Amino acid sequence: IYENLGQPQEAIQALELLIQKVPKSKFLIQALIKSGRIYLEHLGDAAKAGAQFRRMRSIKDLDDKTKAEVDYWLIFIDEQRAKSKPDIVKVMDRYKALLQAAEIKYPNVATKARLGIGRCLITLEKFSEALEFFRAIVDESKETDDKEVLAGAYVGIGDAYFKMEKWLEARRAYLRVGVLWEEFPEYHAKALCLAGNCFLLARDND
């Protein structure tokens, strides 16, 4: 509730209270994931986000699927903190290793790894290769119930086409996110803004 009201600090406090009161409950993992994402996405604090995910990774008897999910977020944090192309290459290699490890047993985690690889390829200016990874997510969308990842894939398609100056294709991808996935504000706001930019750029180049 606090997160939806734009009160991330209050949300963190509520989650920490839950963690302290019922440290062995079935809600512990969800609370740690949620608090880590709030630190990362709402407060921009990668260090505290990483601490929450590492805290979860150290839980005894953590199941393999959750370990893979946590590994994705730890790689994602390092992606956000990468300052050079060599750093991005190292991050991408970790995404590829996660993809290989998770592809058969944990398709949702594998899909997130593909999304991460696509983002890294855009940073490395390999736009056509990035499109292949994003399109693979779209093509396999029936195998995942993670609509947030699907929204991220369409934003990635838009970003790749935008960098290639293919304004109409980029706008089409961004608008899909703008129409279908308002519940993911980090993607929705960006998609609507860049869809407008694509319209102006396409008009100016006619």
Side-chain angles (χ1 to χ4, degrees):
I1 295 174
Y2 285 121
E3 184 184 8
N4 293 336
L5 292 173
Q7 299 176 328
Q9 291 286 7
E10 288 78 1
I12 290 289
Q13 291 172 8
L15 288 165
E16 282 295 337
L17 184 62
L18 174 64
I19 292 166
Q20 291 170 15
K21 285 193 171 183
V22 283
K24 295 184 180 180
S25 92
K26 63 181 180 179
F27 300 112
L28 173 62
I29 291 172
Q30 292 95 316
L32 286 170
I33 289 177
K34 191 67 174 176
S35 61
R37 293 196 62 174
I38 290 172
Y39 274 125
L40 189 63
E41 296 167 5
H42 295 279
L43 299 174
D45 194 330
K48 288 185 178 178
Q52 293 296 81
F53 290 118
R54 285 190 295 273
R55 182 178 174 186
M56 183 165 40
R57 194 67 169 79
S58 67
I59 293 174
K60 187 178 180 181
D61 299 325
L62 191 67
D63 65 273
D64 289 340
K65 181 180 179 181
T66 304
K67 287 178 182 177
E69 179 81 17
V70 173
D71 286 344
Y72 166 79
W73 285 109
L74 289 171
I75 299 169
F76 178 82
I77 289 169
D78 286 342
E79 178 192 346
Q80 304 307 302
R81 301 170 80 174
K83 298 185 182 300
S84 66
K85 288 188 176 181
D87 289 340
I88 287 292
V89 170
K90 291 177 183 178
V91 166
M92 186 168 65
D93 287 342
R94 290 168 64 197
Y95 277 133
K96 288 179 178 179
L98 179 61
L99 173 60
Q100 184 176 9
E103 193 161 19
I104 296 175
K105 288 187 176 181
Y106 315 120
N108 278 11
V109 176
T111 301
K112 289 180 179 179
R114 285 192 184 90
L115 186 63
I117 294 168
R119 288 193 305 261
C120 289
L121 287 167
I122 285 183
T123 302
L124 295 171
E125 300 180 349
K126 297 181 178 181
F127 309 125
S128 295
E129 290 181 45
L131 279 172
E132 293 178 13
F133 280 90
F134 296 134
R135 284 174 176 154
I137 295 171
V138 172
D139 291 343
E140 298 171 6
S141 59
K142 292 181 180 179
E143 298 180 15
T144 179
D145 56 3
D146 195 333
K147 301 304 180 186
E148 185 176 9
V149 170
L150 191 55
Y154 275 105
V155 167
I157 290 170
D159 289 346
Y161 278 129
F162 191 93
K163 294 289 188 179
M164 297 165 75
E165 299 186 1
K166 295 185 177 182
W167 314 123
L168 295 179
E169 291 89 341
R171 184 169 182 260
R172 190 178 299 119
Y174 289 138
L175 284 177
R176 189 177 184 92
V177 179
V179 170
L180 294 179
W181 293 299
E182 187 177 354
E183 67 266 35
F184 307 123
E186 70 277 15
Y187 289 135
H188 187 257
K190 174 183 177 178
L192 288 179
C193 178
L194 290 175
N197 289 349
C198 289
F199 175 79
L200 296 174
L201 289 163
R203 184 191 64 184
D204 292 344
N205 283 276
D206 281 344

